[in-house]
Amino acid sequence: MSSVSKLPNSLTSVCGVAGYVGSTREGLLDAMLACIRSRGPDEQRTVVSHPAHLAFARLAIVDLTSTGSQPMTSRDGRYVTMLNGEIYNQQQLRQQLSTAGYRFTGTSDAEVIPHGFSEWGARLFAHLRGMFAIAVYDTVTKEVWLARDHFGVKPMYFASIGGEFVFSSSARAVALHPSVGRELRESAIGEFLRFRYVASGESMFAHVETLAPGTYVHWANGRITTATYWRPVEYAASDQVDSNDWVRMFDDALSGSVQAQLMSDVPLGVLLSGGIDSGAVLRHAARTRSDGLLAFTYAMPGRHDETKLAKAIADESSVHHRIVAAHHAPFAESFAKALRVMDTPVGDAIIVPTYRLLEAVSRERKVVLTGEGADELLGGYAHIRPLLKIGAASRVGLPPSLAASFVGAMPRQLLDQFFPYEASLGRGGKRKLQSLLRLAHDPARALDAATSIFSTDELSAIGNVSAPRRATRINSLTLPELIDWGFSAWLPNQILNKMDQLSMAHGVEARVPFVDPVVYDVVRMMPRAMLTTSRENKVVLRESLRRSSCAWAGRPKRAFFVPTDAEHADELAVAARDWLGDDMCSKHGVLRSTRVREKVSEMKQGDFLASKQVATMCALHMWLDQGTLA
């Protein structure tokens, strides 16, 4: 084994991996490393152990000495390992492995991977609690194992082609291998247009695969096997435990998760909105480790600004508060810049303020805790309760066509009173609602209709792509099924995908205490009334905050979003002019310009749904123009 770059003196255990097993290809490993460099700006290292070629990019967070260097090897030199992420139960694992005779030389959590794999083999992955993407190479048998954390916080892509194996934290890095290539996956483009993200989790590149959360793959002699190392506990149907016990159990679990995720040798921050999710994370973090803690809030322009609400939460916990002023760069320019860093794009305009916020955070902090995952965990999204009502109506036999006709006869101004966003439903939104009601008897299609911005017919009309196969797997519009969908599709492929890519683009590690197997299992055992009722959502979290005398416990959810139909309509019109013109449509060959012009016209008339459609179509062209570049 030989290192082909110098090893610096100050190292740690994160944050990007890449490699291939096969014939040496001049310049390939360096090119792959360049794709993940922003994930680990503090140091990059390449190691070659024929036929394996491995690269690691590091962000200095835990163990700032040379003992944190990666790739790491087992004590007998057989296994070479790389870890992207953090192992929060590393102390318990260290004790077990030390008892078994393994000797540790540093404090890095990455050191439990080679020793743990030597002791347990692939069973190691089930022992881990954290966010991680792991690669293990066996120098004796030339086999590779890749593993991804329970919920998909950290990404991992791979390709097995022509007897060779390629993998990375970046899909673009995998696509650089000449045997893999950059051919695009038509079904992923269709999903992106329809849902604003790739709902199935597939890569945008035709020959690059995405490792699913909670699984590992084993590559040996050109053959791939996939196994699941973790499955969630079954939902409990019992209401026998008193609600006081559930609140305490939830509070203890969340507090434990936050405490574990404060593991760091550098100062920490918290991304703080004016809502209860990030507020709860800040509250627990400040109780455990207030030294050097900073809260960061983005000052959204106009009536959506939450800086005063966030400051009140920060002051209550005696945490220093940073307000990140809105950037005045043109929207289209910032939108394209954010999409540039994404392997798998997200077409929501919210990536613009998120990108700007994390850019500002990177000047002061390398690690931030966030409130992501709370809505998926606790059924907090605005569409949950309407879908539950539609499902209940369907189960008692209310004719879907009757409900759709009733809505069709209602004025849009009246419907807007029930629309859970600070915007007008619009003509397109009204048609969409009617379509959703007609599909109430088919839960999977109903959920697709609720979460998509284009129907399958609209997609076929506007784009030269076939409608994607159904990504949704749901049998009923009930709370457990909707939460399962949120955790298996929306959370990893939209929320976590977006946060990981935008944070790591700036060398910032974003941690998600709500996305934790212990917290998750506690919630799955709760009575449904502890999650959502007809009056309130995220009940158990709100009750936990009330018991701590948090004045903001009852604060309603306010989505962190860019109101493209209002304050930013003019900016979106400029983006459409630059990115959706006839020349751009002709260049990329995906969208039909005549249909695009119709949507732009609807958007200019104030249609809420059309504004989302236009933003997503712009995003596709921006990504196609830039996203396939190395």
Side-chain angles (χ1 to χ4, degrees):
M1 183 180 301
S2 62
S3 171
V4 296
S5 67
K6 292 183 179 180
L7 186 65
N9 293 324
S10 182
L11 308 170
T12 186
S13 61
V14 288
C15 253
V17 304
Y20 66 95
V21 180
S23 302
T24 300
R25 298 178 184 270
E26 190 66 31
L28 175 59
L29 194 60
D30 287 339
M32 294 178 73
L33 182 59
C35 282
I36 61 171
R37 191 179 303 275
S38 68
R39 302 182 69 91
D42 293 335
E43 184 265 344
Q44 298 83 42
R45 188 183 184 217
T46 58
V47 170
V48 175
S49 176
H50 289 288
H53 306 72
L54 309 175
F56 193 83
R58 182 170 289 111
L59 183 68
I61 294 172
V62 177
D63 190 350
L64 309 183
T65 72
S66 60
T67 57
S69 174
Q70 290 193 66
M72 289 187 171
T73 59
S74 58
R75 60 181 176 183
D76 60 2
R78 177 171 179 172
Y79 298 111
V80 183
T81 67
M82 296 187 291
L83 163 69
N84 164 211
E86 305 288 352
I87 306 302
Y88 299 128
N89 63 336
Q90 68 141 329
Q91 291 300 332
Q92 299 94 307
L93 295 175
R94 278 172 171 268
Q95 292 174 6
Q96 293 179 51
L97 291 166
S98 295
T99 301
Y102 293 90
R103 182 168 171 260
F104 290 83
T105 60
T107 60
S108 170
D109 53 325
E111 202 172 357
V112 304
I113 306 302
H115 296 330
F117 198 86
S118 293
E119 180 70 12
W120 298 306
R123 289 180 292 121
L124 162 69
F125 308 132
H127 288 277
L128 303 177
R129 180 186 182 186
M131 56 177 193
F132 55 83
I134 294 169
V136 178
Y137 174 64
D138 187 331
T139 61
V140 175
T141 64
K142 316 304 180 186
E143 298 169 80
V144 179
W145 289 261
L146 304 177
R148 191 178 180 198
D149 63 67
H150 305 68
F151 304 112
V153 183
K154 289 297 175 184
M156 180 66 86
Y157 303 95
F158 67 94
S160 180
I161 190 165
E164 297 187 81
F165 190 61
V166 196
F167 60 91
S168 180
S169 303
S170 165
R172 287 181 211 167
V174 176
L176 286 174
H177 195 288
S179 297
V180 179
R182 303 181 193 178
E183 178 186 347
L184 296 175
R185 179 178 272 120
E186 183 178 324
S187 61
I189 293 175
E191 283 185 52
F192 174 76
L193 283 171
R194 189 167 185 219
F195 298 104
R196 297 191 292 166
Y197 74 109
V198 184
S200 66
E202 288 186 318
S203 163
M204 293 289 279
F205 298 99
H207 304 299
V208 178
E209 304 302 322
T210 305
L211 183 59
T215 66
Y216 69 88
V217 297
H218 175 214
W219 181 85
N221 300 316
R223 300 187 62 177
I224 283 278
T225 56
T226 304
T228 299
Y229 69 82
W230 175 83
R231 296 184 188 278
V233 298
E234 293 295 327
Y235 276 104
S238 172
D239 289 342
Q240 293 179 358
V241 179
D242 185 84
S243 62
N244 290 329
D245 293 326
W246 286 119
V247 173
R248 177 185 52 77
M249 289 171 62
F250 173 80
D251 196 61
D252 288 347
L254 180 59
S255 177
S257 179
V258 171
Q259 183 174 354
Q261 297 193 31
L262 292 172
M263 178 183 73
S264 174
D265 292 335
V266 298
L268 295 153
V270 175
L271 299 187
L272 181 66
S273 70
I276 66 172
D277 304 337
S278 57
V281 170
L282 180 71
R283 166 181 159 267
H284 285 296
R287 284 179 168 183
T288 303
R289 179 176 174 175
S290 60
D291 58 303
L293 197 63
L294 269 181
F296 295 87
T297 303
Y298 186 80
M300 190 73 77
R303 69 183 188 277
H304 303 281
D305 180 54
E306 292 188 273
T307 53
K308 290 183 179 179
L309 299 175
K311 185 178 186 306
I313 295 173
D315 288 347
E316 186 177 273
S317 292
S318 301
V319 172
H320 292 295
H321 188 221
R322 292 281 192 275
I323 296 176
V324 178
H327 202 282
H328 295 296
F331 169 79
E333 177 186 313
S334 297
F335 202 19
K337 187 181 291 186
L339 285 158
R340 164 71 175 170
V341 306
M342 304 187 87
D343 282 299
T344 305
V346 172
D348 192 339
I350 195 59
I351 67 174
V352 173
T354 305
Y355 181 89
R356 292 168 175 169
L357 172 62
L358 289 160
E359 183 178 38
V361 167
S362 68
R363 301 185 189 109
E364 297 190 77
R365 292 292 182 269
K366 291 182 177 181
V367 186
V368 288
L369 275 64
T370 81
E372 259 74 17
D375 284 312
E376 291 79 12
L377 180 73
L378 303 173
Y381 281 114
H383 64 259
I384 292 289
R385 280 187 281 182
L387 284 173
L388 292 175
K389 291 177 182 177
I390 290 171
S394 176
R395 287 190 292 275
V396 299
L398 180 67
S401 58
L402 178 62
S405 298
F406 178 72
V407 166
M410 294 177 67
R412 288 202 309 272
Q413 292 82 357
L414 181 58
L415 285 173
D416 284 344
Q417 303 302 313
F418 304 97
F419 188 47
Y421 290 94
E422 297 180 44
S424 173
L425 186 65
R427 286 192 299 272
K430 184 175 180 179
R431 291 194 300 268
K432 179 181 175 68
L433 177 58
Q434 289 179 275
S435 175
L436 169 60
L437 291 169
R438 292 190 188 100
L439 293 171
H441 64 286
D442 187 332
R445 292 179 66 195
L447 183 57
D448 276 355
T451 56
S452 63
I453 59 169
F454 285 107
S455 69
T456 54
D457 289 341
E458 285 178 314
L459 187 63
S460 298
I462 205 166
N464 298 314
V465 292
S466 57
R469 65 179 183 272
R470 185 178 300 175
T472 301
R473 297 287 182 267
I474 190 170
N475 296 312
S476 64
L477 295 177
T478 57
L479 190 59
E481 292 257 6
L482 290 171
I483 289 178
D484 276 352
W485 167 81
F487 254 78
S488 63
W490 177 260
L491 181 67
N493 303 324
Q494 206 275 14
I495 300 297
L496 298 178
N497 165 48
K498 174 180 64 186
M499 181 56 70
D500 176 78
Q501 292 187 94
L502 297 179
S503 62
M504 295 311 301
H506 298 295
V508 174
E509 182 178 85
R511 299 178 180 177
V512 281
F514 282 101
V515 185
D516 174 79
V518 176
V519 177
Y520 184 69
D521 284 350
V522 168
V523 170
R524 287 180 74 91
M525 293 184 291
M526 287 182 181
R528 306 296 175 266
M530 297 305 299
L531 303 181
T532 186
T533 67
S534 59
R535 299 176 57 189
E536 194 172 52
N537 63 9
K538 295 187 277 196
V539 176
V540 68
L541 175 58
R542 294 181 187 280
E543 185 57 30
S544 167
L545 295 171
R546 288 188 184 106
R547 293 183 185 185
S548 296
S549 301
C550 295
W552 38 275
R555 188 170 292 166
K557 176 178 176 58
R558 296 184 65 190
F560 183 53
F561 78 109
V562 175
T564 49
D565 65 320
E567 287 100 327
H568 297 270
D570 291 341
E571 292 182 307
L572 187 56
V574 172
R577 181 199 66 197
D578 294 341
W579 290 95
L580 295 178
D582 292 351
D583 55 340
M584 275 291 179
C585 290
S586 176
K587 175 181 178 180
H588 295 299
V590 177
L591 302 172
R592 297 188 177 98
S593 57
T594 54
R595 295 287 187 172
V596 170
R597 285 196 294 272
E598 291 174 5
K599 291 299 180 183
V600 172
S601 177
E602 291 175 13
M603 181 267 295
K604 289 180 177 179
Q605 296 171 34
D607 189 282
F608 177 75
L609 185 59
S611 71
K612 292 180 177 294
Q613 293 169 334
V614 169
T616 302
M617 292 188 293
C618 285
L620 177 64
H621 279 175
M622 290 171 176
W623 190 86
L624 290 174
D625 244 32
Q626 306 180 69
T628 54
L629 300 176

